[in-house]
Amino acid sequence: MKILIMALLSGLLFGVGLTLGGMTQPKVVLGFLNVFGHWNPRLVLVMGGAVLTTAIGYRWVGKKRKPLLAEAFHWPTRKDIEWRLLGGAALFGMGWGMAGYCPGPALVSIGGGQPDLWAFVVAMAGGWWLAAQWSGSTDVRREREEQHDE
């Protein structure tokens, strides 16, 4: 139950941060990506705040023996850059640039009932499903656990 409550609080904090930072407004995101037109630098501050928070958080958490609500940390073990990572990043960037949404802000904003946003979320879910089918992996959690056990 503690993990569920922490997940709920983390998601709520994340959603509030996205909303306050303007990430749920496609015009802010598209304005940031429009470097040759009317550029909106607001997103630089949001990203800078995220990088700073992550850097401090990783240094603090890295000193702990174990997480508060789990038996062990699950740190990434891969350090290589593969074509799947590059291809996924490129597809993510294209979708972000075309729609003005990335997955987190899209899910935060879905309550507004905008038809174009619903179309984006359905297409995003379809893309996740297709990627899982293509890669042969439908259970990411099981795959992570198997990698951790090795």
PDB file of all heavy atoms in Angstrom, residues 63-79:
ATOM      1  N   LYS A  63      23.913   7.579  -2.215  1.00  0.00           N
ATOM      2  CA  LYS A  63      24.570   7.360  -0.931  1.00  0.00           C
ATOM      3  C   LYS A  63      23.785   6.415  -0.018  1.00  0.00           C
ATOM      4  O   LYS A  63      24.291   5.998   1.013  1.00  0.00           O
ATOM      5  CB  LYS A  63      24.772   8.696  -0.217  1.00  0.00           C
ATOM      6  CG  LYS A  63      25.727   9.617  -0.944  1.00  0.00           C
ATOM      7  CD  LYS A  63      25.830  10.953  -0.254  1.00  0.00           C
ATOM      8  CE  LYS A  63      26.747  11.875  -1.045  1.00  0.00           C
ATOM      9  NZ  LYS A  63      26.801  13.211  -0.469  1.00  0.00           N
ATOM     10  N   LYS A  64      22.568   6.094  -0.413  1.00  0.00           N
ATOM     11  CA  LYS A  64      21.720   5.218   0.397  1.00  0.00           C
ATOM     12  C   LYS A  64      22.051   3.757   0.130  1.00  0.00           C
ATOM     13  O   LYS A  64      22.461   3.398  -0.964  1.00  0.00           O
ATOM     14  CB  LYS A  64      20.233   5.462   0.075  1.00  0.00           C
ATOM     15  CG  LYS A  64      19.794   6.898   0.235  1.00  0.00           C
ATOM     16  CD  LYS A  64      19.707   7.248   1.684  1.00  0.00           C
ATOM     17  CE  LYS A  64      19.211   8.675   1.841  1.00  0.00           C
ATOM     18  NZ  LYS A  64      19.325   9.144   3.187  1.00  0.00           N
ATOM     19  N   ARG A  65      21.844   2.904   1.114  1.00  0.00           N
ATOM     20  CA  ARG A  65      22.077   1.472   0.940  1.00  0.00           C
ATOM     21  C   ARG A  65      20.955   0.800   0.169  1.00  0.00           C
ATOM     22  O   ARG A  65      21.188  -0.122  -0.601  1.00  0.00           O
ATOM     23  CB  ARG A  65      22.225   0.792   2.294  1.00  0.00           C
ATOM     24  CG  ARG A  65      23.531   1.099   2.957  1.00  0.00           C
ATOM     25  CD  ARG A  65      23.728   0.177   4.126  1.00  0.00           C
ATOM     26  NE  ARG A  65      25.043   0.447   4.698  1.00  0.00           N
ATOM     27  CZ  ARG A  65      25.364   0.199   5.935  1.00  0.00           C
ATOM     28  NH1 ARG A  65      24.477  -0.334   6.740  1.00  0.00           N
ATOM     29  NH2 ARG A  65      26.563   0.466   6.368  1.00  0.00           N
ATOM     30  N   LYS A  66      19.724   1.239   0.412  1.00  0.00           N
ATOM     31  CA  LYS A  66      18.567   0.673  -0.289  1.00  0.00           C
ATOM     32  C   LYS A  66      17.449   1.707  -0.327  1.00  0.00           C
ATOM     33  O   LYS A  66      17.425   2.637   0.475  1.00  0.00           O
ATOM     34  CB  LYS A  66      18.108  -0.625   0.372  1.00  0.00           C
ATOM     35  CG  LYS A  66      17.490  -0.473   1.732  1.00  0.00           C
ATOM     36  CD  LYS A  66      17.002  -1.826   2.250  1.00  0.00           C
ATOM     37  CE  LYS A  66      15.821  -1.587   3.166  1.00  0.00           C
ATOM     38  NZ  LYS A  66      14.778  -2.513   3.038  1.00  0.00           N
ATOM     39  N   PRO A  67      16.524   1.534  -1.246  1.00  0.00           N
ATOM     40  CA  PRO A  67      15.405   2.476  -1.327  1.00  0.00           C
ATOM     41  C   PRO A  67      14.489   2.366  -0.104  1.00  0.00           C
ATOM     42  O   PRO A  67      14.533   1.363   0.619  1.00  0.00           O
ATOM     43  CB  PRO A  67      14.654   2.036  -2.587  1.00  0.00           C
ATOM     44  CG  PRO A  67      15.472   1.007  -3.246  1.00  0.00           C
ATOM     45  CD  PRO A  67      16.482   0.526  -2.274  1.00  0.00           C
ATOM     46  N   LEU A  68      13.659   3.361   0.095  1.00  0.00           N
ATOM     47  CA  LEU A  68      12.741   3.346   1.234  1.00  0.00           C
ATOM     48  C   LEU A  68      11.722   2.221   1.135  1.00  0.00           C
ATOM     49  O   LEU A  68      11.366   1.618   2.137  1.00  0.00           O
ATOM     50  CB  LEU A  68      12.000   4.689   1.320  1.00  0.00           C
ATOM     51  CG  LEU A  68      12.828   5.905   1.692  1.00  0.00           C
ATOM     52  CD1 LEU A  68      11.989   7.167   1.603  1.00  0.00           C
ATOM     53  CD2 LEU A  68      13.400   5.743   3.091  1.00  0.00           C
ATOM     54  N   LEU A  69      11.228   1.942  -0.075  1.00  0.00           N
ATOM     55  CA  LEU A  69      10.114   1.009  -0.220  1.00  0.00           C
ATOM     56  C   LEU A  69      10.441  -0.207  -1.085  1.00  0.00           C
ATOM     57  O   LEU A  69       9.547  -0.830  -1.642  1.00  0.00           O
ATOM     58  CB  LEU A  69       8.901   1.751  -0.808  1.00  0.00           C
ATOM     59  CG  LEU A  69       8.408   2.940   0.015  1.00  0.00           C
ATOM     60  CD1 LEU A  69       7.299   3.662  -0.709  1.00  0.00           C
ATOM     61  CD2 LEU A  69       7.944   2.505   1.396  1.00  0.00           C
ATOM     62  N   ALA A  70      11.703  -0.552  -1.209  1.00  0.00           N
ATOM     63  CA  ALA A  70      12.091  -1.729  -1.997  1.00  0.00           C
ATOM     64  C   ALA A  70      13.306  -2.374  -1.351  1.00  0.00           C
ATOM     65  O   ALA A  70      13.971  -1.779  -0.499  1.00  0.00           O
ATOM     66  CB  ALA A  70      12.392  -1.334  -3.440  1.00  0.00           C
ATOM     67  N   GLU A  71      13.604  -3.585  -1.776  1.00  0.00           N
ATOM     68  CA  GLU A  71      14.726  -4.321  -1.209  1.00  0.00           C
ATOM     69  C   GLU A  71      16.071  -3.879  -1.772  1.00  0.00           C
ATOM     70  O   GLU A  71      17.090  -3.997  -1.121  1.00  0.00           O
ATOM     71  CB  GLU A  71      14.539  -5.818  -1.438  1.00  0.00           C
ATOM     72  CG  GLU A  71      13.377  -6.392  -0.645  1.00  0.00           C
ATOM     73  CD  GLU A  71      13.522  -6.178   0.855  1.00  0.00           C
ATOM     74  OE1 GLU A  71      14.626  -6.395   1.390  1.00  0.00           O
ATOM     75  OE2 GLU A  71      12.531  -5.770   1.485  1.00  0.00           O
ATOM     76  N   ALA A  72      16.047  -3.404  -3.026  1.00  0.00           N
ATOM     77  CA  ALA A  72      17.307  -3.025  -3.662  1.00  0.00           C
ATOM     78  C   ALA A  72      17.050  -1.989  -4.750  1.00  0.00           C
ATOM     79  O   ALA A  72      15.930  -1.856  -5.240  1.00  0.00           O
ATOM     80  CB  ALA A  72      17.980  -4.258  -4.270  1.00  0.00           C
ATOM     81  N   PHE A  73      18.106  -1.266  -5.104  1.00  0.00           N
ATOM     82  CA  PHE A  73      18.038  -0.361  -6.243  1.00  0.00           C
ATOM     83  C   PHE A  73      18.149  -1.166  -7.535  1.00  0.00           C
ATOM     84  O   PHE A  73      18.782  -2.222  -7.557  1.00  0.00           O
ATOM     85  CB  PHE A  73      19.181   0.663  -6.206  1.00  0.00           C
ATOM     86  CG  PHE A  73      19.004   1.715  -5.160  1.00  0.00           C
ATOM     87  CD1 PHE A  73      19.802   1.729  -4.020  1.00  0.00           C
ATOM     88  CD2 PHE A  73      18.059   2.710  -5.314  1.00  0.00           C
ATOM     89  CE1 PHE A  73      19.649   2.709  -3.059  1.00  0.00           C
ATOM     90  CE2 PHE A  73      17.893   3.693  -4.356  1.00  0.00           C
ATOM     91  CZ  PHE A  73      18.688   3.689  -3.226  1.00  0.00           C
ATOM     92  N   HIS A  74      17.555  -0.677  -8.584  1.00  0.00           N
ATOM     93  CA  HIS A  74      17.653  -1.306  -9.902  1.00  0.00           C
ATOM     94  C   HIS A  74      18.289  -0.292 -10.849  1.00  0.00           C
ATOM     95  O   HIS A  74      17.604   0.385 -11.604  1.00  0.00           O
ATOM     96  CB  HIS A  74      16.271  -1.741 -10.411  1.00  0.00           C
ATOM     97  CG  HIS A  74      15.622  -2.741  -9.517  1.00  0.00           C
ATOM     98  ND1 HIS A  74      15.973  -4.072  -9.519  1.00  0.00           N
ATOM     99  CD2 HIS A  74      14.679  -2.609  -8.562  1.00  0.00           C
ATOM    100  CE1 HIS A  74      15.250  -4.715  -8.626  1.00  0.00           C
ATOM    101  NE2 HIS A  74      14.459  -3.845  -8.027  1.00  0.00           N
ATOM    102  N   TRP A  75      19.604  -0.162 -10.774  1.00  0.00           N
ATOM    103  CA  TRP A  75      20.334   0.788 -11.602  1.00  0.00           C
ATOM    104  C   TRP A  75      20.514   0.214 -13.001  1.00  0.00           C
ATOM    105  O   TRP A  75      20.667  -0.993 -13.171  1.00  0.00           O
ATOM    106  CB  TRP A  75      21.703   1.093 -10.997  1.00  0.00           C
ATOM    107  CG  TRP A  75      21.633   1.696  -9.632  1.00  0.00           C
ATOM    108  CD1 TRP A  75      21.930   1.087  -8.448  1.00  0.00           C
ATOM    109  CD2 TRP A  75      21.241   3.026  -9.295  1.00  0.00           C
ATOM    110  NE1 TRP A  75      21.752   1.950  -7.401  1.00  0.00           N
ATOM    111  CE2 TRP A  75      21.322   3.150  -7.885  1.00  0.00           C
ATOM    112  CE3 TRP A  75      20.816   4.125 -10.037  1.00  0.00           C
ATOM    113  CZ2 TRP A  75      21.007   4.323  -7.220  1.00  0.00           C
ATOM    114  CZ3 TRP A  75      20.502   5.294  -9.358  1.00  0.00           C
ATOM    115  CH2 TRP A  75      20.597   5.393  -7.973  1.00  0.00           C
ATOM    116  N   PRO A  76      20.541   1.060 -14.010  1.00  0.00           N
ATOM    117  CA  PRO A  76      20.796   0.556 -15.367  1.00  0.00           C
ATOM    118  C   PRO A  76      22.188  -0.060 -15.461  1.00  0.00           C
ATOM    119  O   PRO A  76      23.132   0.428 -14.842  1.00  0.00           O
ATOM    120  CB  PRO A  76      20.704   1.803 -16.248  1.00  0.00           C
ATOM    121  CG  PRO A  76      20.265   2.916 -15.385  1.00  0.00           C
ATOM    122  CD  PRO A  76      20.325   2.484 -13.964  1.00  0.00           C
ATOM    123  N   THR A  77      22.281  -1.125 -16.227  1.00  0.00           N
ATOM    124  CA  THR A  77      23.569  -1.784 -16.391  1.00  0.00           C
ATOM    125  C   THR A  77      24.164  -1.550 -17.775  1.00  0.00           C
ATOM    126  O   THR A  77      25.363  -1.642 -17.951  1.00  0.00           O
ATOM    127  CB  THR A  77      23.438  -3.297 -16.156  1.00  0.00           C
ATOM    128  OG1 THR A  77      22.444  -3.817 -17.034  1.00  0.00           O
ATOM    129  CG2 THR A  77      23.053  -3.588 -14.718  1.00  0.00           C
ATOM    130  N   ARG A  78      23.329  -1.237 -18.756  1.00  0.00           N
ATOM    131  CA  ARG A  78      23.819  -1.014 -20.118  1.00  0.00           C
ATOM    132  C   ARG A  78      24.406   0.383 -20.241  1.00  0.00           C
ATOM    133  O   ARG A  78      23.853   1.347 -19.727  1.00  0.00           O
ATOM    134  CB  ARG A  78      22.689  -1.179 -21.120  1.00  0.00           C
ATOM    135  CG  ARG A  78      22.214  -2.620 -21.201  1.00  0.00           C
ATOM    136  CD  ARG A  78      21.277  -2.803 -22.320  1.00  0.00           C
ATOM    137  NE  ARG A  78      22.000  -2.597 -23.578  1.00  0.00           N
ATOM    138  CZ  ARG A  78      21.509  -2.921 -24.744  1.00  0.00           C
ATOM    139  NH1 ARG A  78      20.332  -3.454 -24.844  1.00  0.00           N
ATOM    140  NH2 ARG A  78      22.192  -2.711 -25.836  1.00  0.00           N
ATOM    141  N   LYS A  79      25.493   0.467 -20.967  1.00  0.00           N
ATOM    142  CA  LYS A  79      26.129   1.765 -21.188  1.00  0.00           C
ATOM    143  C   LYS A  79      26.300   2.066 -22.676  1.00  0.00           C
ATOM    144  O   LYS A  79      26.776   3.127 -23.043  1.00  0.00           O
ATOM    145  CB  LYS A  79      27.483   1.807 -20.489  1.00  0.00           C
ATOM    146  CG  LYS A  79      27.356   1.648 -18.981  1.00  0.00           C
ATOM    147  CD  LYS A  79      28.636   1.986 -18.288  1.00  0.00           C
ATOM    148  CE  LYS A  79      28.656   1.766 -16.819  1.00  0.00           C
ATOM    149  NZ  LYS A  79      27.524   1.959 -16.040  1.00  0.00           N
TER     150      LYS A  79
END
